[in-house]
């Protein structure tokens, strides 16, 4: 009698054994690696990463693995944790628009740390990276929209599965062992949206990377779980969502790639603020709009815009990255939106000068990459700006050259001595690398 495979087993088969990657997907993998190395430089010396390193370093059991942008060398689990925390700390990394997951951060770090120790070839690392990101996004689809809206930090909670799948792929787990890795990951999945803008968010991201890798290691050593950790009655989907969609795990798996819809940010803010910043910068450049002209602003946007960014009194650099009021004010004052515009100093500047009154009008059918901005002026007139597909969105993506510039700017800002051109060339040609560990070694201070 033929036994029907579960969604769990089909996903595990895919993670452990898929081959035949389309070139377009492989290239998206390279693009994603360029972007995640860029954002790893941006956060490598921030206070939360320094605190995480200081707390854990006395317990590190080795010095085999590189920390991006830092001189320290640590054991593999700690390298995975710190490099992931640094890469995601500013939420300047990639975004899967359907779920608001930042797929690469939890996945990449353990793979390169593993390669440093084991000399893993670049093609295997690239394929494992893509597999991990795909698994992560599909699990995100299966628990959305309830999961994130209910307060789970979806990049952490689903990121652990991506890290487990990618690491398990490199370790050569069988399909059955991959299900065990999913079980171990499900038991450790955690992270709360309440912690966005704080160091605690980076802790959950570091845990996703480290514990995802350890989930694969545990499975390789025989630590088992249930047959359906994702889809059982009390499995992950049903516990973490009130509208689970198990079919999202496997529909057209290997044919339609969620990872291929990945996007990359031109501004270091929550993705829902990208169209707002672009629209405000356009009004400033083309119509001379200045902060002192404004009596109020209306934002017609996706409900997540208000839910995540209505923070008129955000007082730190981290929280201003999810503050529409600050983002509008600082963009008008400076005419740009780099990491410097979302610092503690910039936060105090806009608080002292005064931020505009912002009204949010929720439009549930609106795409998160679009917004209508209506600016009310002191002279009684108004200005309107519509952004349909913000820069960096799926329909208006960053180019390869823009991603390269992002990495170079980030490495320079971090004071890195890395040969950026050599690093970029190595990432673009990772398929041909005999040892991907050599790539991350280039990034240490």
């Amino acid at each position: 009698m033929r036994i029907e495979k579960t969604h769990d087993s089909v996903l595990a088969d895919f993670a452990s054994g898929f081959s035949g990657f389309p070139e377009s997907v492989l290239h998206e993998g390279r693009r994603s690696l360029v972007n995640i190395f860029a954002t790893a430089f941006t956060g490598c010396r921030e206070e939360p990463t320094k605190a995480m390193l200081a707390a854990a370093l006395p317990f590190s059991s080795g010095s085999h693995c590189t920390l991006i942008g830092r001189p320290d060398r640590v054991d593999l689990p700690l390298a995975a944790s710190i490099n992931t925390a640094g890469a995601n700390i500013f939420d300047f990394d990639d975004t899967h628009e359907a779920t608001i997951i930042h797929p690469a951060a939890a996945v990449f770090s353990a793979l390169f740390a593993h390669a440093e120790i084991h000399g893993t070839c670049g093609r295997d690392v690239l394929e494992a990276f893509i597999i991990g990101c795909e698994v992560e996004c599909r699990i995100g689809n299966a628990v959305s929209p309830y999961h994130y809206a209910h307060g789970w930090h979806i990049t952490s909670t689903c990121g652990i599965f991506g890290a487990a799948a990618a690491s398990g792929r490199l370790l050569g787990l069988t399909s059955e062992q991959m299900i065990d890795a999913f079980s171990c990951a499900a038991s450790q999945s955690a992270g709360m949206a309440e912690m966005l803008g704080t160091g605690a968010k980076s802790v959950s991201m570091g845990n996703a990377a480290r514990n995802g890798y350890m989930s694969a290691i545990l499975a390789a050593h025989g630590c088992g779980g249930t047959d359906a950790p994702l889809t059982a009655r009390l499995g992950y989907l049903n516990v973490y969502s009130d509208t689970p969609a198990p079919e999202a795990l496997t529909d057209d798996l290997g044919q339609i790639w969620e990872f291929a819809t990945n996007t990359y940010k031109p501004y270091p803010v929550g993705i829902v603020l990208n169209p707002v910043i672009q629209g405000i910068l356009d009004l400033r450049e083309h119509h001379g709009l200045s902060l002192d002209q404004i009596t109020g602003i209306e934002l017609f946007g996706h409900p997540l815009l208000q839910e995540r960014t209505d923070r008129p009194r955000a007082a730190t650099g981290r929280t201003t990255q999810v503050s529409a009021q600050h983002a509008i004010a600082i963009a008008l004052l400076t005419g740009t939106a780099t990491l410097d515009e979302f610092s503690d100093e910039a936060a105090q500047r806009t608080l002292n000068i005064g931020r505009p009154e912002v009204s949010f009008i929720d439009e549930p059918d609106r795409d998160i990459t679009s917004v209508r901005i209506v600016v009310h002026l002191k002279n009684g007139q108004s200005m309107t700006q519509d952004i349909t597909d913000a820069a960096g969105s799926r329909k208006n993506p960053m180019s390869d050259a823009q991603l390269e510039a992002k990495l170079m700017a980030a490495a320079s800002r971090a004071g890195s001595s890395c040969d950026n051109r050599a690093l970029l060339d190595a990432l673009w040609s990772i398929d041909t690398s005999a040892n991907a560990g050599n790539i991350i070694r280039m990034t240490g201070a």
Side-chain angles (χ1 to χ4, degrees), residues 37 41 63-70 73 83 112-120 416-419 423 426 433-445:
F37 271 77
F41 279 117
S63 57
H64 305 292
C65 298
T66 299
L67 295 183
I68 295 172
R70 299 188 63 89
R73 291 184 63 81
N83 284 334
F112 281 92
H114 181 93
E116 277 198 271
I117 294 173
H118 298 283
T120 312
S416 171
S417 59
C418 174
D419 183 337
L423 174 61
S433 172
N435 180 0
N438 291 331
I439 298 176
I440 196 165
R441 289 191 188 102
M442 299 168 68
T443 69

Side-chain angles (χ1 to χ4, degrees), residues 280 284 287-297 328-334 349-350 353-357 375-381 383:
I280 291 295
R284 184 184 190 274
H287 301 282
L289 180 65
S290 62
L291 187 58
D292 59 6
Q293 294 177 293
I294 298 171
T295 61
I297 292 178
I328 291 168
I330 201 68
L332 286 172
L333 288 170
T334 65
R349 182 182 180 188
T350 60
I353 291 173
R355 297 168 180 170
E357 292 290 329
V375 181
H376 299 285
L377 305 176
K378 291 177 180 178
N379 64 8
Q381 297 179 336
M383 294 181 179

Side-chain angles (χ1 to χ4, degrees), residues 7-27:
H7 293 292
D8 302 69
S9 61
V10 172
L11 190 64
D13 288 347
F14 169 79
S16 62
F18 181 83
S19 60
F21 294 81
E23 173 53 33
S24 60
V25 173
L26 291 170
H27 186 63

Side-chain angles (χ1 to χ4, degrees), residues 82-100:
I82 299 300
N83 284 334
T84 280
N88 178 256
I89 192 169
F90 288 121
D91 294 308
F92 197 13
D93 42 350
D94 53 352
T95 307
H96 177 245
E97 291 178 357
T99 59
I100 320 299

Side-chain angles (χ1 to χ4, degrees), residues 33 36-37 40 65-68 75-87 103-116 125 129 163 166-167 170 205-211 213 440:
L33 288 175
I36 202 64
F37 271 77
C65 298
T66 299
L67 295 183
I68 295 172
D75 65 25
L76 191 159
L78 184 54
S81 177
I82 299 300
N83 284 334
T84 280
V107 177
F108 89 107
S109 57
L111 300 180
F112 281 92
H114 181 93
E116 277 198 271
V125 167
F129 173 72
S167 301
L170 277 196
M205 282 301 300
N207 286 344
R210 178 183 59 236
N211 295 341
Y213 181 80
I440 196 165

Side-chain angles (χ1 to χ4, degrees), residues 247-282:
E247 66 280 359
L249 299 174
T250 57
D251 279 357
D252 298 311
L253 189 61
Q255 300 298 317
I256 295 177
W257 291 84
E258 290 298 318
F259 177 68
T261 67
N262 210 16
T263 64
Y264 311 99
K265 291 183 180 182
Y267 313 120
V269 295
I271 188 173
V272 288
L273 280 178
N274 280 354
V276 176
I277 291 174
Q278 182 177 338
I280 291 295
L281 290 175
D282 285 350

Side-chain angles (χ1 to χ4, degrees), residues 300-380:
F300 295 78
H302 188 281
L304 273 177
L305 178 60
Q306 178 173 203
E307 183 178 334
R308 291 288 180 258
T309 73
D310 186 9
R311 302 182 188 223
R313 301 299 300 171
T316 66
R318 296 289 307 286
T319 54
T320 61
Q321 293 179 276
V322 282
S323 168
Q325 292 84 356
H326 169 81
I328 291 168
I330 201 68
L332 286 172
L333 288 170
T334 65
T336 189
T338 70
L339 282 166
D340 290 338
E341 281 66 59
F342 297 90
S343 63
D344 291 349
E345 293 77 16
Q348 290 307 307
R349 182 182 180 188
T350 60
L351 280 172
N352 292 337
I353 291 173
R355 297 168 180 170
E357 292 290 329
V358 177
S359 300
F360 296 83
I361 296 87
D362 289 348
E363 295 185 338
D365 293 333
R366 182 180 284 274
D367 193 278
I368 61 170
T369 65
S370 71
V371 72
R372 165 167 282 197
I373 303 169
V374 180
V375 181
H376 299 285
L377 305 176
K378 291 177 180 178
N379 64 8

